[in-house]
Structures are given as structure tokens and as C-alpha cells.
Amino acid sequence: MGTSAPLNGRSQPAGPWRGVPWPTDDEVQAEADTTWAVELGLLDGGETEQAYASPAASSLDALLDDLENRAAERHRATAAEYGLIRRVLRDAAFDPVPWVGPDPTLDLAWSDARGRTVAAVRRDRRDMAERAAVAEIAVRLRLSEQTIRARASHAEVPQARCPRLWRCFTAGWVSERHAVETARLAASLPDEPPSWALFDEGARERAFRLTPARFAVSARALRETVHAESLEVRHRRAVRERGVWLTPELDGMATLNALLPADRAHAAMAHVDRAARHLRTAPDEERALAELRADVFADLLTVDAAAAGRGVRRAPEGTAGSDSARAGASGSATGAPAGDAAVTPTGASAGAPTGASTGTPSCDRGADAGPRPGRATVVLTVPALTLLGAGTESATLDGYGPIDLDTARRLAGEASSWIRVLTHPVTAVPIALDRATYRVPAALRRWLGVTSPTCVFPGCGRPARECDLDHLQAWSEGGGTDDENLEPECRHHHRIRHETLWRPARDPDRGDLRWISPLGTEVGADPPPF
């Protein structure tokens, strides 16, 4: 097509093409698009004639084919990632030395101070090596340790119990969600290879033709048909996994989840719904039914049960937590006092403006006293000037983050006592609390719960009140029991610190805490969550 064809008053070409109309502009563009697709490898030469016959459809087919290929590549890459995580953890258990150091049991003069046998020590070494490897992968990939363990399991279970579906996953033919759901269900099957094989075959067939959501429903039904145990036996075991979890949401909200036996969950929902619908009939009621269910639910948990059996006073009429089920979304409808950020029910505070003191309302009855029966315990940190109306810094609810000042002032006003923390008048740095004893005093525990509200290992969000307080420099080596040498570590990371080659280090100039992995990776402690 070296010369342009006339668009108007076209003359007919001579030879065999006489009588054939000139191609339109759209056809010319379609041919160019087809040539471009062939050059990029989206179409091969044999498809050119078909593409010219239907240029728009062929171009779209090529793009969709490319999309399918990219999705398959992503599935293959995800499967490879899962497999690599499992391999690292398996190698760590096989050879713990890079993670926990040389095996002391090889020394003929060795004896264990805790009285463990050689087999027990080696078993613990394998366990701690795997924990150290999980932590290493987590900080490198910036994922939680729980996610790393889950992905290792999602590779191990299908490889052992559903090899057909695992091969489809590694080939990119099924998605990650299909593979994860298969692993989750297969892990719950009894240790009987025949049931594994039946589940594997059925899951693979369903994964090829169902979306992940439909697959999850169908695969659960398949699991029921191949499971050798009765539903009654499985239910008794599952009941032991019941629990309640709180998830922070945006704008001062939170989600409360409960895993319960199905009959009790449905009964609870029916009770909440019935009360909400009754309130909805009131002539002056403006709340939607969903809002009423939430308010009734909060009232039942924070007001009615406590008032009936535990002597907690009801909130005034018209406020959150009143008898009319107007429990507010702030989550403290009982007039509950604020508690402790460490391990005692006394208060803690932080974030004071320069030269001021901050306070935390408390239900303290003494340094070692527990919370009063029936009274909820929360931790509220309010800068003093904000509390007095002269500042705008946010208040912080422990475990959640910033909350609105009206709720903070209400909670503070309902507190029975306060704990005050003074800050430096120029730098606003808290005055150091030094102690000359090994035992950590209650006041220091409270303060450390403010300066380090969570476990200091990277990526760990366990609250400080549930952590051990660890001497960064050992007490036996001259380390003091003060806020500069103590940091909260959850029991899991406390063991990793002392039983593996992970170690903390503090910058001598800036004071920043860093962690060094057994392989030499350095990672800084997470910044405060709020």
C-alpha cells in the first residue's frame, strides 16, 4: 500500500482486482492494527487472514488472551512464593544452626540448666529456628508472621493432601483464592488418604468452572460428603474455638465479631432483631433498623447485663447506653472508667503538650487491684490542655487510636481517679523513671505502656499490657530497670530474642531501637501506632 487510494470517484484497478471495491478507512486501520498485533506476538501470522475478516473482534480477543496469560502468570508467581516460604521453614527445621547457633548437646560436657533431655532441646531448637525464619521472612516481605505461617500452610497442605489441585495452581490454571480455600478445607479432614483423594479430585473439577465464592460453598459441601467423622464430633471440637474479636474501623467506629455455635448465634441475632423492631414502632423513633440493632446489641452487652447482675449504674437517659437502647458508637456506654495500658487496671497517659501534664482516668483501687466486678476497663489518654478546652490535640483510646473529644471528655468526666504524668517544660520528653531493683514497679509498667504501646518487635501489634517487659541490657550485665532499658515484648518475640540469634540494638546517639536478624538483616522498630 505504497500509494494512497482515492476516496472519492475511485477508478477501478486493472487486472484481476477489477470490480473489487477499495477498502474503507476503518478496514485500513484494522489491517494496521492486525500488523501491529502480529509484530508484538499477540497474533501469529496464520491468524492474520481471520483477523482481517473480523478486525475489531480479533483485536479484542488478543487483548483478552493477554489478560488471561497475565492472570495465569500471577497465579504461578503466587504459588511459587508459597512454595519458597514453605521451603525456607522446612530447611530451618532441618538445619537450625543458622538461626539459633551451634547445637550445645554435641558437647560431651553439656548439661541443660532446665533439666531437658537432648531430644527435648533439639526439638525446641527446631521450633525456635522456624520461628526465627518466619520473623526473617515477615520483615523482608513486610507481612505479618501470621500471614507467613498461613502461606506456608497453604503450600504444605495441598501438596500433601491435594496434589492435583496444587499442580493446577502452580501451572496458573486456578486462582490463589481457590487454592487457599482448598488448603483450609483439606486441613480439616482426618488423616485418611482416601478422603484426601476424593476431596482433591472433586475440588479440582469445581475450581475449573466456579468462581471463588461459589467454589467455597461447593467445596464445603464436598468436604461434608468425604469427611469420615460425624458432624456431632466435629461440632464438639469446633465449639472450643469460639471467641470474640474487635477490629478498629474508620471515624471512631469498630467491628465486634463473635464465633459462636450456630444455634446460639441465630438466637442472639433474633433477640437483637426483635428488640430493634419493637423500638422501631415508637412514634418519635428516627433511627434505621440497622442502627437500632447495633444500639440494642451494645446496650445488652454494656448496660443491661451489667446492671442486672453486677451492680453497674446505667447511663443517664438520652445518653449512650441508656435504657432506651441508645448505646453510642463510641463503645463505652456504661460510664466505664478508663484503665491501664500495661498490666494493672490503673491508668496511663501520654502526649501532653509542652510543659503540661496529662491524665488518664482510672478505676484504680491500689497498684495491684483488679478492675471492679462488672466494670469495663479502657485506657484513655487526653492531653491536659485539650481536656480543659485550651488545646486541640486528639485523645487516644488504647487499642484503637484517636477518638472525638466529646467522647473523650465524657469518659474522663466519669472516671473515679486520675494518674498524672509530668513532661519536660521545654522538650515535652517524659521524665525518666529509674529504679534500682530488678522487679518492674507498677508505675513504670504503666509508663512503658504509654511510650511503647505495643510489642517492639517489627510488625507485632500485641498490646503492651499483654507483653513481658524485657531488659535490653541484661540485669546481670549491669542493665538498669528503667524506661530506657525496658521494652515490652510479647512472649513469642521474647523467646525469639533469647533463644535465637535475633537481637535488639539501640542507637547510642538517637536512642532508636533496631533489630538484627540471624542473617544480618537490620530493621527498625515500628513507630508508635497512634
XYZ file of all heavy atoms in Angstrom, residues 334-403:
447
model
N -21.309 2.406 79.363
C -21.648 2.118 80.750
C -21.135 3.161 81.715
O -21.264 3.017 82.909
C -21.047 0.773 81.158
O -19.632 0.899 81.134
C -21.485 -0.328 80.248
N -20.507 4.198 81.223
C -19.810 5.078 82.132
C -18.568 4.411 82.655
O -18.129 4.666 83.755
N -17.988 3.517 81.855
C -16.854 2.727 82.310
C -15.658 3.610 82.540
O -15.355 4.474 81.742
C -16.524 1.671 81.263
N -14.937 3.405 83.598
C -13.719 4.153 83.825
C -12.617 3.673 82.923
O -12.666 2.576 82.418
C -13.392 3.841 85.298
C -13.973 2.485 85.506
C -15.202 2.426 84.652
N -11.633 4.507 82.731
C -10.507 4.094 81.918
C -9.540 3.314 82.764
O -9.434 3.515 83.956
C -9.815 5.317 81.330
N -8.797 2.437 82.127
C -7.922 1.547 82.872
C -6.472 1.765 82.578
O -6.008 2.874 82.558
N -5.779 0.690 82.291
C -4.334 0.702 82.285
C -3.785 0.264 80.960
O -4.329 -0.618 80.318
C -3.849 -0.255 83.382
C -2.348 -0.272 83.474
O -1.737 0.733 83.102
O -1.808 -1.285 83.928
N -2.701 0.895 80.514
C -2.067 0.498 79.269
C -1.060 -0.607 79.484
O -0.536 -1.143 78.532
C -1.358 1.699 78.643
N -0.749 -0.931 80.722
C 0.203 -2.012 80.970
C -0.550 -3.222 81.481
O -1.462 -3.669 80.857
C 1.276 -1.542 81.966
N -0.192 -3.735 82.649
C -0.819 -4.966 83.107
C -1.705 -4.774 84.329
O -2.290 -5.718 84.809
C 0.267 -6.010 83.449
C 1.027 -6.381 82.210
C 1.214 -5.481 84.518
N -1.788 -3.565 84.871
C -2.634 -3.315 86.016
C -3.806 -2.449 85.589
O -3.753 -1.808 84.558
C -1.844 -2.590 87.131
O -1.492 -1.296 86.640
C -0.598 -3.355 87.496
N -4.870 -2.388 86.385
C -6.027 -1.601 85.988
C -5.905 -0.127 86.275
O -6.862 0.601 86.147
C -7.152 -2.211 86.828
C -6.462 -2.700 88.051
C -5.128 -3.172 87.591
N -4.746 0.346 86.680
C -4.570 1.770 86.894
C -4.275 2.436 85.577
O -3.936 1.810 84.592
C -3.407 2.006 87.872
O -2.253 1.354 87.367
C -3.742 1.455 89.235
N -4.357 3.759 85.546
C -4.317 4.468 84.278
C -2.925 4.683 83.745
O -1.930 4.443 84.393
N -2.866 5.190 82.503
C -1.627 5.578 81.860
C -1.924 6.755 80.981
O -3.049 7.002 80.601
C -1.065 4.425 81.040
N -0.914 7.518 80.627
C -1.171 8.715 79.843
C 0.030 9.064 79.011
O 1.130 8.623 79.236
C -1.517 9.882 80.766
O -0.486 10.069 81.705
N -0.188 9.883 78.006
C 0.882 10.283 77.113
C 0.418 11.458 76.300
O -0.750 11.811 76.271
C 1.275 9.134 76.189
N 1.375 12.032 75.549
C 1.023 13.033 74.569
C 0.688 14.387 75.161
O -0.108 15.133 74.614
N 1.278 14.773 76.270
C 0.967 16.067 76.853
C 1.566 17.179 76.029
O 2.626 17.043 75.450
C 1.521 16.138 78.271
N 0.936 18.337 75.965
C 1.583 19.490 75.356
C 2.765 19.920 76.204
O 2.870 19.580 77.377
C 0.465 20.550 75.358
C -0.492 20.108 76.408
C -0.400 18.620 76.441
N 3.645 20.697 75.626
C 4.881 21.071 76.291
C 4.612 21.728 77.638
O 3.819 22.657 77.750
C 5.672 22.036 75.401
O 5.918 21.393 74.167
C 6.968 22.446 76.045
N 5.304 21.207 78.637
C 5.224 21.795 79.953
C 3.969 21.462 80.714
O 3.755 21.974 81.788
N 3.129 20.600 80.167
C 1.868 20.287 80.822
C 1.901 18.869 81.334
O 2.824 18.122 81.105
C 0.706 20.475 79.849
N 0.842 18.524 82.029
C 0.696 17.146 82.450
C -0.502 16.556 81.757
O -1.415 17.264 81.355
C 0.518 17.063 83.967
O -0.699 17.688 84.328
N -0.472 15.261 81.597
C -1.616 14.581 81.012
C -2.202 13.668 82.044
O -1.537 13.260 82.988
C -1.204 13.739 79.800
O -0.399 12.663 80.268
C -0.431 14.543 78.794
N -3.432 13.302 81.860
C -4.057 12.415 82.817
C -4.793 11.304 82.131
O -5.259 11.463 81.014
N -4.903 10.206 82.824
C -5.708 9.090 82.361
C -6.675 8.715 83.453
O -6.262 8.410 84.561
C -4.824 7.887 82.025
O -3.949 8.253 80.976
C -5.673 6.703 81.586
N -7.979 8.781 83.203
C -8.922 8.370 84.227
C -8.725 6.902 84.558
O -8.386 6.109 83.702
C -10.289 8.618 83.581
C -10.017 8.709 82.123
C -8.625 9.181 81.966
N -8.958 6.557 85.804
C -8.625 5.210 86.246
C -9.651 4.687 87.228
O -10.275 5.443 87.954
C -7.248 5.223 86.917
O -7.000 4.012 87.575
N -9.789 3.383 87.236
C -10.627 2.737 88.249
C -9.740 2.098 89.306
O -10.089 1.095 89.900
C -11.534 1.683 87.598
S -10.631 0.339 86.834
N -8.582 2.658 89.510
C -7.586 2.064 90.406
C -8.083 2.004 91.853
O -8.623 2.952 92.381
C -6.310 2.914 90.345
C -5.192 2.292 91.133
O -5.239 1.072 91.338
O -4.278 3.027 91.530
N -7.880 0.845 92.473
C -8.136 0.660 93.901
C -6.844 0.276 94.603
O -6.846 -0.425 95.588
C -9.191 -0.418 94.108
C -10.547 -0.048 93.597
C -11.521 -1.188 93.795
N -11.178 -2.314 92.943
C -11.441 -3.587 93.253
N -11.999 -3.874 94.398
N -11.129 -4.548 92.421
N -5.734 0.710 94.052
C -4.438 0.289 94.562
C -3.631 -0.261 93.415
O -4.167 -0.708 92.416
N -2.330 -0.256 93.554
C -1.461 -0.608 92.442
C -1.701 -2.003 91.929
O -1.553 -2.273 90.751
C 0.003 -0.453 92.876
N -2.084 -2.928 92.802
C -2.238 -4.311 92.385
C -3.700 -4.754 92.320
O -3.993 -5.923 92.160
C -1.478 -5.241 93.335
C 0.005 -4.945 93.339
O 0.530 -4.670 92.252
O 0.621 -4.985 94.411
N -4.614 -3.821 92.467
C -6.021 -4.203 92.490
C -6.525 -4.432 91.087
O -6.139 -3.758 90.156
C -6.855 -3.116 93.168
N -7.433 -5.373 90.930
C -8.048 -5.615 89.642
C -9.238 -4.713 89.449
O -9.672 -4.009 90.358
N -9.809 -4.706 88.248
C -10.978 -3.885 87.996
C -12.167 -4.364 88.824
O -12.291 -5.531 89.136
C -11.215 -4.075 86.497
C -10.546 -5.360 86.160
C -9.399 -5.497 87.083
N -13.046 -3.448 89.149
C -14.213 -3.820 89.919
C -15.092 -4.751 89.110
O -15.201 -4.625 87.892
C -14.996 -2.556 90.297
C -14.229 -1.649 91.242
C -14.902 -0.300 91.343
N -14.119 0.603 92.177
C -14.308 1.915 92.197
N -15.229 2.449 91.441
N -13.556 2.675 92.965
N -15.764 -5.675 89.774
C -16.609 -6.614 89.048
C -17.660 -5.872 88.237
O -18.312 -4.966 88.720
C -17.238 -7.459 90.160
C -16.297 -7.324 91.312
C -15.730 -5.950 91.216
N -17.796 -6.281 86.963
C -18.839 -5.732 86.130
C -18.497 -4.411 85.485
O -19.306 -3.861 84.753
N -17.324 -3.856 85.746
C -16.968 -2.567 85.163
C -15.940 -2.771 84.069
O -14.885 -3.332 84.297
C -16.422 -1.628 86.237
C -17.384 -1.437 87.394
C -17.041 -0.229 88.214
N -17.300 0.999 87.490
C -17.158 2.211 88.021
N -16.744 2.340 89.254
N -17.409 3.287 87.315
N -16.275 -2.271 82.890
C -15.351 -2.398 81.770
C -14.129 -1.534 82.022
O -14.190 -0.523 82.713
C -16.041 -1.965 80.481
N -12.998 -1.919 81.464
C -11.746 -1.194 81.650
C -11.192 -0.783 80.296
O -10.955 -1.636 79.442
C -10.704 -2.064 82.376
O -11.243 -2.463 83.626
C -9.414 -1.293 82.588
N -11.038 0.510 80.095
C -10.436 1.023 78.880
C -9.350 2.004 79.265
O -9.301 2.481 80.393
C -11.471 1.717 77.959
C -12.499 0.734 77.464
C -12.125 2.878 78.684
N -8.465 2.310 78.322
C -7.383 3.257 78.564
C -7.616 4.476 77.692
O -7.756 4.355 76.479
C -6.013 2.639 78.227
C -4.908 3.654 78.485
C -5.796 1.395 79.062
N -7.685 5.631 78.301
C -7.918 6.876 77.581
C -6.783 7.832 77.889
O -6.478 8.085 79.045
C -9.261 7.494 78.017
C -9.586 8.854 77.419
C -9.834 8.716 75.927
C -10.798 9.453 78.115
N -6.145 8.365 76.867
C -5.068 9.327 77.025
C -5.533 10.662 76.463
O -5.885 10.754 75.292
C -3.803 8.869 76.288
O -3.395 7.604 76.806
C -2.675 9.865 76.477
N -5.545 11.688 77.322
C -6.029 13.002 76.916
C -5.000 14.048 77.324
O -4.674 14.158 78.510
C -7.373 13.343 77.582
C -7.972 14.591 76.941
C -8.336 12.181 77.492
N -4.457 14.830 76.381
C -3.589 15.951 76.782
C -4.350 16.898 77.706
O -5.536 17.167 77.500
C -3.239 16.621 75.452
C -3.400 15.532 74.428
C -4.546 14.693 74.931
N -3.659 17.383 78.723
C -4.332 18.162 79.758
C -4.991 19.414 79.192
O -6.126 19.751 79.547
C -3.328 18.544 80.853
N -4.305 20.123 78.311
C -4.890 21.340 77.752
C -6.116 21.033 76.912
O -7.085 21.795 76.899
C -3.847 22.090 76.921
C -2.668 22.667 77.706
C -1.723 23.424 76.779
C -3.166 23.590 78.816
N -6.096 19.916 76.216
C -7.271 19.512 75.446
C -8.439 19.235 76.368
O -9.581 19.635 76.108
C -6.954 18.260 74.613
O -5.916 18.563 73.680
C -8.179 17.779 73.851
N -8.154 18.558 77.470
C -9.213 18.225 78.410
C -9.840 19.482 79.000
O -11.046 19.531 79.256
C -8.638 17.349 79.527
C -9.637 16.675 80.460
C -10.530 15.723 79.686
C -8.904 15.929 81.561
N -9.023 20.535 79.170
C -9.519 21.784 79.740
C -10.140 22.700 78.697
O -10.632 23.781 79.033
C -8.373 22.512 80.448
C -7.762 21.786 81.659
C -6.545 22.532 82.167
C -8.798 21.629 82.755
N -10.095 22.272 77.427
C -10.686 23.080 76.375
C -9.747 24.092 75.776
O -10.166 24.927 74.955
N -8.451 24.060 76.149
C -7.489 25.029 75.643
C -6.587 24.464 74.564
O -5.680 25.139 74.089
C -6.634 25.563 76.791
N -6.790 23.201 74.172
C -5.967 22.584 73.131
C -6.823 21.762 72.199
O -8.011 21.513 72.457
N -6.222 21.354 71.088
C -6.979 20.599 70.071
C -6.350 19.251 69.763
O -6.784 18.576 68.831
C -7.073 21.415 68.766
O -5.753 21.711 68.292
C -7.845 22.697 68.985
N -5.321 18.854 70.514
C -4.710 17.558 70.255
C -5.706 16.436 70.533
O -6.511 16.524 71.454
C -3.465 17.364 71.128
C -2.306 18.273 70.757
C -1.063 17.913 71.549
O -0.581 16.768 71.407
O -0.598 18.751 72.333
N -5.641 15.385 69.715
C -6.615 14.304 69.816
C -6.406 13.485 71.078
O -5.286 13.324 71.569
C -6.503 13.377 68.602
O -6.810 14.078 67.422
N -7.496 12.977 71.586
C -7.432 11.967 72.637
C -7.234 10.604 71.973
O -7.568 10.411 70.797
C -8.705 11.974 73.461
N -6.673 9.648 72.718
C -6.370 8.331 72.168
C -6.982 7.250 73.041
O -6.796 7.247 74.257
C -4.843 8.117 72.080
O -4.275 9.129 71.246
C -4.529 6.748 71.489
N -7.708 6.346 72.418
C -8.276 5.191 73.105
C -7.363 4.004 72.852
O -7.083 3.662 71.696
C -9.688 4.904 72.587
C -10.455 3.776 73.281
C -10.724 4.154 74.739
C -11.766 3.493 72.554
N -6.884 3.396 73.928
C -5.914 2.310 73.807
C -6.457 1.175 72.936
O -7.588 0.715 73.106
C -5.576 1.771 75.193
C -4.539 0.670 75.142
O -3.523 0.852 74.458
O -4.755 -0.377 75.771
N -5.646 0.725 71.983
C -6.029 -0.355 71.106
C -6.826 0.080 69.894
O -7.115 -0.717 69.004
N -7.210 1.372 69.856
C -7.992 1.855 68.719
C -7.312 3.019 68.022
O -7.012 2.964 66.851
C -9.405 2.266 69.171
C -10.198 2.887 68.047
C -10.808 2.075 67.104
C -10.296 4.267 67.910
C -11.493 2.632 66.041
C -10.994 4.822 66.860
C -11.594 4.006 65.924
O -12.265 4.562 64.870
N -7.037 4.105 68.768
C -6.448 5.284 68.164
C -7.223 6.533 68.527
O -7.931 6.580 69.546
N -7.135 7.583 67.689
C -7.808 8.854 68.010
C -9.323 8.701 68.070
O -9.927 7.993 67.268
C -7.393 9.762 66.841
C -6.154 9.140 66.275
C -6.318 7.663 66.474
N -9.932 9.351 69.049
C -11.388 9.396 69.154
C -11.810 10.850 69.281
O -10.992 11.742 69.565
C -11.910 8.585 70.364
C -11.374 9.167 71.684
C -11.542 7.124 70.229
C -11.996 8.532 72.911
